[in-house]
Amino acid sequence: MEELKISTRPSISFRPINPSDLERLEQIHRDIFPIRYESEFFQNVVNGGDILSWAAVDRSRPDGLSDELIGFVTAKIGPAKETEISDLIRYNSCKGEETLVYILTLGVVESYRKRGIAKLLIKEVIKYASSVPVCRGVYLHVIAHNNPAIRLYKRMSFRCVRRLHGFYIINGQHFDSFLFVYFINGSRSPCSPFDLVVFVLNYMRSGIKSVASKLTMKHEQKGLKWLKCKDITRCLLPTQTKRNLASERVSSGYDYV
């Protein structure tokens, strides 16, 4: 990509991506992403289909370039129960069908990196998602070796909830992905400290009941009580069946910050 002349004090602002950005948007994706996106994706973005978008521009650039893309983020909103993190969301039946925002692509041209633009773009997405009362969070995938992006998400209070092995296939090679979530509007992961305390208390309460039950058993039932204990333990501590994420893989997001 060409080197852009940057003002000593760039004036970054954001706007929706529009049809006049098509060629520039496609070029930036080709330059910075190892994944190739279909023409349909770009048409959907610039024509305001079912994809949300924010463009970053530098209003201080001369020569009529003050409205040219120097960064972008694309995202999609959909029903929370249809996502791969549906099991991590605390649902509120009073709110109707709850949603999540998924970040598809995030990128900043090389000359403008390390200026906080990617962080500002993500904040735009979070601000939008937070304004939707039924939206429960913002989530994304990041390839496991993209350390700058991983550090950025952690600094912004995204939570890494899963590592997906072989999620990306690039030039015939498999690469792992991390799944990050930013919970909003009162949502939180079931693995929050509060939920862990509730789990421990419930487990202790069940254990006390189990001990009391054993103490009151008649001596002649001794041969059966161990079978009952094993059954109770199996009910208290179920093992969760792992989903075969590789077989459920869909077109996923990518970022370059």
Side-chain angles (χ1 to χ4, degrees):
M1 177 171 288
E2 75 279 7
E3 286 292 324
L4 304 180
K5 294 182 179 180
I6 305 175
S7 167
T8 55
R9 301 184 65 180
S11 176
I12 307 301
S13 64
F14 305 98
R15 60 167 176 78
I17 295 176
N18 56 56
S20 65
D21 297 315
L22 178 59
E23 184 177 347
R24 177 71 172 169
L25 185 67
E26 290 179 330
Q27 182 63 52
I28 297 176
H29 275 74
R30 284 194 300 268
D31 288 342
I32 67 179
F33 294 150
I35 296 174
R36 294 294 172 254
Y37 291 86
E38 299 292 336
S39 175
E40 182 181 357
F41 167 76
F42 296 109
Q43 290 293 336
N44 204 340
V45 173
V46 302
N47 291 313
D50 59 350
I51 294 180
L52 308 166
S53 68
W54 289 262
V57 297
D58 181 1
R59 297 300 185 191
S60 66
R61 293 182 66 192
D63 305 324
L65 298 176
S66 62
D67 199 49
E68 184 178 70
L69 264 68
I70 54 103
F72 59 85
V73 60
T74 64
K76 196 168 186 176
I77 188 167
K81 290 185 178 180
E82 295 180 8
T83 69
E84 62 189 289
I85 60 168
S86 59
D87 57 316
L88 299 180
I89 302 300
R90 294 177 62 88
Y91 295 96
N92 184 345
S93 58
C94 298
K95 290 189 175 183
E97 186 175 47
E98 294 170 312
T99 61
L100 289 167
V101 171
Y102 177 60
I103 293 181
L104 295 166
T105 60
L106 168 67
V108 178
V109 298
E110 188 172 0
S111 300
Y112 278 87
R113 289 177 197 156
K114 298 182 180 180
R115 294 173 178 266
I117 297 173
K119 181 177 181 179
L120 293 174
L121 284 164
I122 296 172
K123 284 185 174 181
E124 291 293 311
V125 179
I126 293 174
K127 182 169 67 175
Y128 164 80
S130 300
S131 71
V132 180
V134 296
C135 187
R136 310 299 279 165
V138 177
Y139 75 109
L140 55 89
H141 295 94
V142 57
I143 199 164
H145 60 249
N146 191 346
N147 293 320
I150 292 170
R151 287 193 294 269
L152 171 63
Y153 300 137
K154 288 182 177 180
R155 287 198 302 268
M156 295 187 71
S157 299
F158 277 77
R159 294 182 61 178
C160 183
V161 296
R162 283 176 187 149
R163 180 170 185 144
L164 310 178
H165 297 283
F167 184 83
Y168 291 107
I169 302 177
I170 303 173
N171 297 326
Q173 287 187 291
H174 292 262
F175 295 89
D176 291 357
S177 166
F178 290 117
L179 180 58
F180 281 87
V181 186
Y182 185 95
F183 295 100
I184 59 173
N185 293 334
S187 179
R188 65 176 183 272
S189 165
C191 295
S192 67
F194 173 80
D195 292 304
L196 288 175
V197 170
V198 171
F199 174 81
V200 171
L201 290 176
N202 287 337
Y203 181 75
M204 292 175 63
R205 188 180 297 115
S206 298
I208 291 172
K209 289 181 180 179
S210 177
V211 171
S213 176
K214 292 176 189 177
L215 291 176
T216 58
M217 284 182 180
K218 293 180 179 180
H219 181 71
E220 58 267 20
Q221 293 179 313
K222 184 176 181 181
L224 297 176
K225 72 177 181 178
W226 295 113
L227 291 176
K228 292 181 180 178
C229 180
K230 289 179 181 178
D231 289 340
I232 292 172
T233 304
R234 191 176 296 114
C235 293
L236 288 174
L237 299 174
T239 56
Q240 183 177 1
T241 302
K242 295 183 179 179
R243 295 169 56 198
N244 186 355
L245 293 171
S247 65
E248 299 175 6
R249 189 178 303 128
V250 295
S251 178
S252 56
Y254 210 88
D255 42 42
Y256 210 101
V257 298

